Amino acid sequence: MTLRNKQIVIAVTGGIAAYKTAQLVREVQAEGAQVRVVMTASATSFVAAKTFQALSGSPVAITDNGLFDQAGMDHITLARWADLIVIAPASANSIAKLIHGEADELLYAMCLAHEGQVAIAPAMNQQMWSNVATQENINGLRNRGFLIWGPADGAQACGEVGPGRMLEVSELLQLVLSRFENTAFAGQHIVITAGPTHEAIDPVRYIGNRSSGKMGFALAEAALAAGARVTLVAGPTEQICSPRIHVIHVETAAEMHLAVFQQLDDCDLFIACAAVADYRVANIAAEKIKKHSEHLSLELEPTEDILRDVKQAQPKLFCVGFAAETEHTIEYARDKLVRKKLDMIIANQVGSSEQGFSSDYNAVEILTADSQESIARMRKTALAPKILDAIHQQLLNRKENSNVRYLKKSHST
Ligand code: CTP
């Protein structure tokens, strides 16, 4: 029961996905958390407050009517009580109100008064989600440190298909768990590379790849949630992350190499998640290349292998690589593990839209010299804490083994 002693406010705004939130309340409670439900007036036209009251075993707060604080300060009492507020579903309207800091209902006033984290599970029509207004609001909230969970892609209640569905309850539960699961990396400095690199051909063109950066950014968020100080060296990507993560934006493999090496002095763990270009153009054209002839050949030269160089420079540093392969996944990944002298490699199959590069989902095999663990297809945001757990477990095993070695040594002397 990961959530034992945790106090979670589940806040419901007006949307059809509110019926799923009833199940979320049950599942969060089943993990040991105490749950209070807060609703907007409009949410009550989708699911009755009594449903949530019966499920949570506590009164549902809709207005400051003294259910939790006789002085009519329920919004303050709940804001202080909550270890985490999860707004699910979060309608387009509620997101717009949150970005403006409105406080015309208890739910919004509570969010303003809450010092800890607020997670948002958006749910709306795909066009409303894609609208620039909503996107700007969401990005603004993310920049302020709100956690944005979803939305998912798929069939919508309105009959359309696209992004805007609330995440499934099981996915939301995983995300709630990931907020509390561990402090495994407390005080440690984790350096992560993410995204693609762009290698210039001329001032307007480059060689790139399809990496979206989603996996690396999810790992950075999970590392932050596990108590680490995180430096994320990111190639060109649209991903946004918590302001508490130190992001260094780079474009080329050479810049990424330099940025990573500048962070190595006090680094405790290095995760190379970036899809770094293996080659760059030997002679970058100073001016835009014109189509003068039928054929054009570019001479390429190898880029720096960041991961290999880091491991060579700091052999004791725990280094994790990624192997994105289209075939013979395990075999090729094992080869990389050995060749680059890595401590762990995360292998995944790419080449389909179901998982991998630009997808929100991934399924991986976690390989070390003497172990192999499969993790089934799931959202990258849920996968990231699992990968960190596996790394943590390896670090613990190492510590134990070195203690045993030390003990044996001291016995024998
Ligand atoms: N990597 C890196 N710097 C590079 C290339 C790769 O740090 N210049 C890291 C990636 O971040 C990833 C792992 O190494 O963690 C992937 O290795 P990859 O380049 O795919 O391996 P190669 O040995 O180049 O094998 P191949 O290209 O044949 O698949």
Side-chain angles (χ1 to χ4, degrees):
M1 293 233 286
T2 317
L3 300 179
R4 192 181 319 209
N5 301 327
K6 296 290 178 266
Q7 302 182 157
I8 297 177
V9 165
I10 296 186
V12 191
T13 72
I16 184 63
Y19 78 93
K20 293 188 190 171
T21 310
Q23 185 64 23
L24 180 65
V25 170
R26 283 212 90 117
E27 299 205 3
V28 168
Q29 277 178 323
E31 287 291 337
Q34 290 181 55
V35 175
R36 300 277 180 275
V37 176
V38 172
M39 299 176 85
T40 58
S42 123
T44 61
S45 63
F46 289 90
V47 178
K50 267 199 178 144
T51 305
F52 285 112
Q53 181 171 330
L55 288 172
S56 67
S58 295
V60 170
I62 302 168
T63 53
D64 278 316
N65 57 8
L67 287 170
F68 296 98
D69 183 308
Q70 288 183 347
M73 301 279 266
D74 288 342
H75 61 295
I76 303 291
T77 306
L78 285 163
R80 288 183 185 152
W81 179 86
D83 294 317
L84 172 71
I85 296 175
V86 181
I87 308 181
S91 63
N93 185 44
S94 68
I95 289 166
K97 280 177 181 278
L98 287 165
I99 193 76
H100 291 295
E102 290 191 16
D104 60 343
E105 289 197 68
L106 182 144
L107 187 149
Y108 304 112
M110 172 188 71
C111 289
L112 276 180
H114 181 61
E115 276 194 340
Q117 287 216 286
V118 180
I120 294 179
M124 67 198 72
N125 162 273
Q126 52 99 13
Q127 205 60 53
M128 292 170 76
W129 169 253
S130 306
N131 192 293
V132 176
T134 307
Q135 286 304 305
E136 284 185 4
N137 291 342
I138 277 288
N139 287 338
L141 289 176
R142 206 192 303 263
N143 282 334
R144 281 187 208 163
F146 282 67
L147 303 166
I148 313 298
W149 291 348
D153 244 273
Q156 304 201 302
C158 56
E160 293 181 15
V161 178
R165 278 169 63 92
M166 188 168 86
L167 293 188
E168 294 305 325
V169 168
S170 58
E171 294 174 321
L172 289 175
L173 178 68
Q174 279 303 321
L175 289 164
V176 171
L177 292 174
S178 73
R179 302 316 300 173
F180 297 105
E181 245 164 10
N182 59 68
T183 49
F185 292 97
Q188 303 210 8
H189 181 205
I190 302 185
V191 178
I192 301 173
T193 65
T197 63
H198 287 179
E199 310 297 332
I201 297 172
D202 66 17
V204 291
R205 305 179 180 95
Y206 60 81
I207 300 175
N209 62 65
R210 295 183 199 279
S211 167
S212 63
K214 285 176 184 166
M215 190 69 241
F217 275 65
L219 280 166
E221 294 286 358
L224 184 72
R229 178 162 68 84
V230 186
T231 301
L232 182 60
V233 183
T237 146
E238 288 178 357
Q239 306 303 314
I240 297 175
C241 63
S242 158
R244 290 187 293 143
I245 293 172
H246 174 213
V247 188
I248 304 174
H249 294 283
V250 296
E251 203 169 310
T252 64
E255 287 169 11
M256 191 173 270
H257 191 273
L258 182 66
V260 167
F261 269 78
Q262 283 171 346
Q263 297 298 320
L264 282 190
D265 277 353
D266 62 348
C267 174
D268 298 294
L269 167 64
F270 177 57
I271 307 179
C273 189
V276 186
D278 286 329
Y279 294 92
R280 69 173 147 243
V281 177
N283 299 302
I284 302 169
E287 306 298 337
K288 187 179 165 204
I289 299 173
K290 305 302 285 179
K291 14 176 214 299
H292 287 312
S293 59
E294 276 296 299
H295 299 282
L296 173 70
S297 298
L298 294 172
E299 192 191 332
L300 302 180
E301 63 182 21
T303 56
E304 299 76 7
D305 191 320
I306 303 163
L307 182 54
R308 188 201 54 204
D309 289 357
V310 167
K311 191 62 187 175
Q312 250 171 30
Q314 300 224 0
K316 286 195 178 141
L317 178 63
F318 197 96
C319 289
V320 182
F322 271 73
E325 308 288 353
T326 53
E327 56 175 357
H328 310 302
T329 310
I330 305 289
E331 193 187 324
Y332 287 164
R334 271 221 178 276
D335 176 58
K336 266 170 217 176
L337 182 78
V338 174
R339 208 160 20 92
K340 299 196 188 189
K341 299 191 172 60
L342 305 179
D343 301 279
M344 178 183 279
I345 194 146
I346 316 293
N348 71 302
Q349 184 112 18
V350 291
S352 82
S353 58
E354 290 288 294
Q355 64 184 51
F357 268 172
S358 50
S359 164
D360 285 335
Y361 292 84
N362 214 351
V364 299
E365 298 283 335
I366 302 182
L367 309 179
T368 66
D370 49 17
S371 69
Q372 178 171 341
E373 183 191 345
S374 305
I375 304 194
R377 182 178 181 273
M378 65 177 71
R379 213 160 251 284
K380 287 175 177 172
T381 42
L383 182 61
K386 293 200 182 293
I387 292 175
L388 282 171
D389 278 352
I391 296 171
H392 184 238
Q393 198 49 53
Q394 283 294 321
L395 287 167
L396 287 180
N397 292 348
R398 267 191 184 189
K399 219 169 167 187
E400 266 173 29
N401 287 341
S402 66
N403 282 346
V404 169
R405 267 206 304 279
Y406 173 75
L407 281 175
K408 278 190 184 151
K409 230 175 158 182
S410 48
H411 278 303
S412 62
T413 50

